[in-house]
Amino acid sequence: MSELFSPEWMAGFAENWNADPELSGALAEIGFNSTIAYGYAGDPAPKGVLVVENGKAVSSGAYDGQSVNWDIRASSDTWDKWLSKPPNMMTLGVGYTTGKLKFEVGDYSAMIKDPRMAGPFIKSFAAMSKVA
């Protein structure tokens, strides 16, 4: 498996993202456009970035200082746990309230209250878990 959030890993994530109609299709229905960064809690910057246009991942790679709409962080141990067993809504809620899931940029509370975004957000972790 490629190193988590490396350009190769992010390309696999983008492929899995686009292959899941409950993720990319659901986000296309609401015209979701976003630049999403991922990385480790405590690091000065995220590691990887995914650019989504109308629900589809259109580019991915290493974070290079670009402006992001979301910056999602967790510890290495937490990412490992979620990649081996993708979290559900409850797991993510507990992760957020206990500080295991951090949003350096973006509003988790607003997103999770919108079922049009919450469902696909949960599905994004399943897409991550399929990266070889």
Side-chain angles (χ1 to χ4, degrees), residues 64-132:
D64 192 25
Q66 59 270 62
S67 178
V68 299
N69 305 99
W70 302 92
D71 181 351
I72 303 168
R73 313 280 188 99
S75 70
S76 178
D77 288 345
T78 299
W79 282 122
D80 288 345
K81 182 189 301 183
W82 289 345
L83 291 175
S84 66
K85 183 178 182 210
N88 58 28
M89 186 76 77
M90 179 72 76
T91 307
L92 289 176
V94 169
Y96 181 73
T97 58
T98 61
K100 290 182 179 180
L101 174 65
K102 298 186 181 300
F103 281 70
E104 300 293 326
V105 177
D107 185 349
Y108 172 82
S109 297
M111 180 268 303
I112 211 71
K113 289 176 185 171
D114 183 345
R116 300 171 310 155
M117 289 181 63
F121 179 64
I122 300 298
K123 290 288 184 184
S124 73
F125 289 88
M128 285 180 186
S129 74
K130 295 176 183 170
V131 178

Side-chain angles (χ1 to χ4, degrees), residues 14-44:
E15 186 176 313
N16 290 332
W17 176 293
N18 289 338
D20 186 344
E22 292 182 37
L23 174 53
S24 60
L27 292 174
E29 288 178 13
I30 63 169
F32 182 81
N33 298 303
S34 199
T35 301
I36 309 165
Y38 299 88
Y40 299 105
D43 281 1

